[in-house]
Structure formats: C-alpha cells, structure tokens
Amino acid sequence: MEQEILRRLRALPAVHEVLSRLEDEIEFSPFMANEGWTPRMTLYVRQVLQSIREDINRNYANPFEEFEASLWPTIKKDLFKKLIKGETSLRRVINATGVVLHTNCGRALLAPEVARFISEQAERYSNLELNIQTGERGSRYVHVEELLCKLTGAEAAMVVNNNAAAVLLMMNTFAQGKEVIVSRGELVEVGGSFRIPEVLKAGGAKLVEVGATNKTWLKDYEAAISSETAMLLKVHTSNYRVEGFTHTVSGAELVKLGEDKGLPVMEDLGSGSFFDGANLGFPPEPTIKQTVKSGLSLVTFSGDKLLGGPQAGIIVGKKSFIQQLRANQLTRALRVDKLTLAALEGTLRLYDNGEFSEIPVWRMLSAPLDKLYEVAFELFTALLPNQKIDVKLQEDVSQVGGGAWPTVELPTWVCTIRPRQGSVIELEKFLRLGSVAILSRIHKDWIVIDVRTFLKGDREEVVRRLAEWEQ
C-alpha cells in the first residue's frame, strides 16, 4: 500500500517542469507569454499538484499505468479550471499557531462525521420546516431543541446566527424602551470592537450600570431597580479576568432578587461549554447546565467556541420566554439556515452519545503532552536535513483562543525555525503565501510551529513548503 502511494507521488512532476511544459501547450501559451501571470500560474500549479497528492493518499485503486497516462491531462484540466474560474476567496489554511479557537481561521473545527452530515443536507432536499408525520409546515428549531433541552436541562431552546444576535433579540423582545441593569465590571467588549452597551442600545434597551469595575454587590442591583426596569442581565466575562480585590453577584442570587421584584434575569454566558474543563485542570468555569440550573429566565452562548460547533447564538431557558422570542419579527432576520442547523445537530449528537473525543476542539485541548512531543519530534526530524534553515525542538505553551480561558497556558511542544539567509519576517511571509497558507507565530526572532493544532497532512505540507525556501 505505502509503496504504491510512494510510486505515484514520485511520478508527479516538479513545479518548474509543469511550467516549462505549459509553454508548448496552445491553450496556455497566452498566459505563459505574459510575465505578469508567472506568479499566479506558479501558485496554481502548486495548488493542483497538492490536490493530486492528497487524492493519491485517498485513492490509489486504479492501475499505475492508468494513473500515469491520465496524470498530465488531469493537471492541464485542473489548471485550466483555475484560470477560468480564478482562485476561491475561502481557502484551506494550516494553523500552526497552537491557538485552538483561532477567530481569524474560523474558530471551532467540525468533526468529520458532522462535516459529512452537512454535505448530505446541502446536496439534497430536507425536512427543514416540514413535519413529515402531518405533511404540514413545521419549525426549523425542532431539529435541535430536544437535544439542547436534554443537554442543558432547559425547558425550551432556539438558535439565531450568533451570540450577539441572541442578546440583541432578548433586548428587543423584553426591554425595548426600558432599563436593563448590568454590573459595570461585566460591560464586555468582544472581537471587532463590538460591546455589550452598544448591543443593548441597538436592541432598544437603556443600560443602567451598577457597582464598580472590580466589585458589584446584590444591594447595587436592588438600589437601581425602578418602575422602568425590564430585566437584570448578567454577562459572563469569559474573555478576560479581574483578579484580586473583587466581588461579583452569582446568577442564583440575581434570580432570587428577580423573583422578589417580579423581573426576569438573563445571562450572556459567552463561550459556553457542556464539558467541565476542571477535569482537564483548567480554572473553574460554569457549564451551561450549571448556569441553567440556577433558575435564569434565559441563557445565551456561542456555538463555535467551546461547544465545538458552527457559528450560532444559542438561547435556552424557560418556555414562556422562548415563545416570546420566537414571536418577535426580528427572529426571522436572525434565523439560521439548514447548514448551520445540520452542523449544530451533528455536534450535539456527539455530546449526547458521550463522544467528546470526536469533537476537534476538545481533542486538541486535551492532547497529551507526550503525543504532542511525538508529532513535534517527527516534524523536527523531517526538517533537520534542510540546510536552508536552523531548527530546534522545545517546550512552549498554546492558547485556547476565541475569548475562552484567557489566562490558561497549555503546555505543548513546538519546532522553532529561522532561515540561515534572509529574515524571519520574510520566511513567515513565504509560509503564509504558499499554495496552502501556513500560519505561524514569531517569538524572539524565531518562527514557532506549534503542532497542537496540526491536522492530518499538515506536517508533510510544512516540510514541503520549507524545502522550497530560497533566498
């Protein structure tokens, strides 16, 4: 098996050989004669050859002679498609930063099983809003509501397109033109400079800040309640920590105050996790189930962070409040499509089946240090023969990312490299601008390659790209 794969890989021409041969092909001659096209053509050739390499690793059932005879026609056909259609904007990226929930790279990876389920739903019609039993129109939320209620202990659930949208919908439904009381220490800013006060304002609510940055007491909330108060809002500070001389009010305490005053209490949980990270040695974080159990009217959280699913704003809580959210006309503008629901249902079923290890986020976060060493050592060994770079194998730390567990440093193993000629900045750019973009980080004039976030085939691609480095 391995010999057959190697035989086919060795049959692949080099990039310069393909470019040279294209000059004699009539359909490519206009492009090859234009010097301005050379960099783009070179990139396309690399992409096509990489695609064939990946296909070889997946499929080698046809006889070698047949493969060899079809190789050049396949290269030409795939290249011509790229020239006609151009390069897609969304591209595969190798995340060598060690940041598991890398916002710029799409945050949580979906499990392969979930990706296949999405593909099936994308290619065929589905019962998105069809009640098959009655033949009548149904609700798109039924596909995930039962699972969400089972996993969180909530009475009801619904999904919108992200967590900010979930908070916006709550404000618009329950607090339009009225006051919402929030601790001053919980006025969070998330990525892209989006802030809780602005989201509340966009939803039509009036923000009432209470307490101080480091300390807020229950009496602060109670003193701020007036006839104009619509709700008490708690925002979990998942993307930063205030430590030292501090005090916060728990959700359970706010629920008791809300009951006494006849006010709903809602919490924006931010990252949100079904899994207790304390089992991995992480600092204590409330799980979604624990938060719901405190009796809150509604709880919102993200789908594409610690949950390990698609971008989504998930809302769980008491049935009467969920029903009011669904009746809001804004819900249609914020609703999710069938692919998001497919991704979420598939991910939730993994949790329901106890298959945590199948969820890439948790697999990466819980990767044993000895396994990371093995992967890093393989990369180190493969890079040693490269005379154009210096390479070291050493311990380092990874980050969770995505605004989750901001103070946690995950022990990891990395390869650090730098060029013997040229600068580290130039080499970082060279890696990033390859046919497959390789994202790394720079520390003390060394490029750091963290293997925690490597996927199958990434190591070979990094080695291949570094072998092409010329300065």
Side-chain angles (χ1 to χ4, degrees):
M1 182 186 299
E2 290 185 3
Q3 290 298 320
E4 186 61 31
I5 291 174
L6 284 173
R7 186 184 182 193
R8 291 165 190 247
L9 290 174
R10 288 172 182 148
L12 292 179
V15 173
H16 72 274
E17 293 174 336
V18 175
L19 290 171
S20 176
R21 190 168 174 179
L22 287 175
E23 293 177 356
D24 299 324
E25 299 287 341
I26 295 176
E27 63 265 47
F28 292 98
S29 57
F31 302 103
M32 300 305 295
N34 186 341
E35 290 186 4
W37 271 86
T38 302
R40 185 181 298 184
M41 185 66 79
T42 302
L43 175 63
Y44 286 171
V45 170
R46 284 178 175 148
Q47 290 175 343
V48 166
L49 291 177
Q50 177 60 25
S51 178
I52 294 173
R53 287 190 194 96
E54 292 173 358
D55 190 56
I56 287 171
N57 283 298
R58 291 191 300 264
N59 175 30
Y60 46 87
N62 59 328
F64 177 78
E65 293 74 17
E66 184 179 317
F67 164 80
E68 192 174 36
S70 64
L71 183 55
W72 181 243
T74 298
I75 291 173
K76 288 201 302 178
K77 181 186 70 175
D78 291 352
L79 272 174
F80 202 71
K81 280 183 182 178
K82 284 187 173 292
L83 288 170
I84 297 301
K85 294 182 178 180
E87 185 180 341
T88 58
S89 182
L90 273 174
R91 296 168 52 195
R92 172 194 167 197
V93 167
I94 292 175
N95 179 8
T97 67
V99 179
V100 177
L101 292 171
H102 200 306
T103 299
N104 297 350
C105 296
R107 288 191 181 154
L109 298 180
L110 298 176
E113 176 183 328
V114 175
R116 289 192 291 271
F117 181 52
I118 295 170
S119 178
E120 178 184 327
Q121 299 307 308
E123 294 176 347
R124 297 182 182 277
Y125 294 109
S126 70
N127 61 328
L128 176 65
E129 288 190 347
L130 171 67
N131 183 323
I132 293 179
Q133 299 302 317
T134 65
E136 297 176 350
R137 182 167 184 165
S139 167
R140 64 180 58 205
Y141 301 115
V142 300
H143 305 295
V144 293
E145 184 175 25
E146 184 177 341
L147 283 166
L148 283 169
C149 291
K150 181 179 180 182
L151 292 166
T152 67
E155 294 177 7
M158 64 179 292
V159 186
V160 290
N161 52 27
N162 63 23
N163 194 45
V167 175
L168 177 75
L169 183 61
M170 287 197 310
M171 297 305 110
N172 186 264
T173 304
F174 302 107
Q176 195 168 28
K178 292 192 174 184
E179 296 175 352
V180 175
I181 302 175
V182 187
S183 167
R184 186 169 280 110
E186 297 177 357
L187 298 180
V188 176
E189 177 178 311
V190 295
S193 298
F194 291 97
R195 299 172 174 175
I196 284 293
E198 276 68 34
V199 174
L200 266 60
K201 183 179 178 180
K206 299 175 183 178
L207 170 66
V208 176
E209 301 177 29
V210 296
T213 303
N214 60 323
K215 282 196 172 189
T216 302
W217 302 87
L218 187 63
K219 62 184 180 182
D220 295 319
Y221 288 92
E222 188 168 11
I225 293 174
S226 72
S227 59
E228 292 299 306
T229 303
M231 75 168 72
L232 307 179
L233 176 66
K234 184 170 179 59
V235 182
H236 181 60
T237 56
S238 59
N239 64 351
Y240 70 93
R241 289 289 179 273
V242 178
E243 299 180 343
F245 194 56
T246 65
H247 183 272
T248 59
V249 180
S250 70
E253 290 176 289
L254 285 180
V255 167
K256 179 64 170 62
L257 177 61
E259 289 173 349
D260 292 343
K261 301 296 183 179
L263 293 171
V265 183
M266 306 181 183
E267 179 165 356
D268 171 6
L269 196 54
S271 297
S273 173
F274 290 131
F275 187 75
D276 189 353
N279 296 329
L280 299 175
F282 292 175
E285 282 275 348
T287 65
I288 300 163
K289 194 165 192 174
Q290 290 167 345
T291 304
V292 170
K293 194 175 181 180
S294 65
L296 292 151
S297 306
L298 292 172
V299 177
T300 73
F301 52 95
S302 296
D304 59 347
K305 296 183 180 179
L306 293 176
L307 184 73
Q311 176 183 299
I314 302 169
I315 312 172
V316 298
K318 299 187 183 301
K319 189 173 184 178
S320 61
F321 288 94
I322 294 290
Q323 287 175 334
Q324 291 180 71
L325 290 176
R326 289 183 182 176
N328 189 325
Q329 293 297 309
L330 194 57
T331 296
R332 185 173 180 86
L334 302 176
R335 73 179 185 180
V336 290
D337 72 334
K338 65 177 182 179
L339 302 187
T340 301
L341 285 169
L344 184 57
E345 181 187 353
T347 302
L348 293 174
R349 291 201 181 281
L350 292 177
Y351 279 105
D352 191 40
N353 295 332
E355 299 176 275
F356 297 101
S357 61
E358 297 300 313
I359 298 170
V361 168
W362 289 106
R363 187 173 65 246
M364 290 180 178
L365 290 178
S366 62
L369 194 57
D370 58 342
K371 295 295 183 184
L372 294 172
Y373 173 80
E374 289 177 11
V375 178
F377 183 76
E378 289 176 355
L379 176 62
F380 172 72
T381 303
L383 291 176
L384 274 180
N386 190 332
Q387 298 299 307
K388 294 172 284 189
I389 60 171
D390 292 319
V391 56
K392 296 190 298 184
L393 176 66
Q394 61 189 61
E395 291 183 272
D396 208 311
V397 291
S398 308
Q399 300 293 323
V400 178
W405 279 305
T407 60
V408 170
E409 293 185 332
L410 304 168
T412 190
W413 281 90
V414 303
C415 284
T416 57
I417 58 174
R418 66 181 177 191
R420 293 178 178 174
Q421 290 187 341
S423 71
V424 167
I425 297 295
E426 290 169 332
L427 182 54
E428 183 278 332
K429 182 178 179 181
F430 175 80
L431 289 171
R432 182 164 37 84
L433 297 182
S435 55
V436 177
I438 301 170
L439 293 192
S440 58
R441 50 189 170 92
I442 297 176
H443 182 66
K444 294 184 177 179
D445 207 35
W446 285 82
I447 290 176
V448 180
I449 304 293
D450 191 334
V451 300
R452 179 181 294 277
T453 44
F454 266 21
L455 300 171
K456 184 178 180 181
D458 286 355
R459 176 176 63 85
E460 293 80 1
E461 185 62 31
V462 170
V463 173
R464 184 196 66 78
R465 181 60 175 163
L466 285 169
E468 296 175 349
W469 167 252
E470 298 287 348
Q471 186 62 34

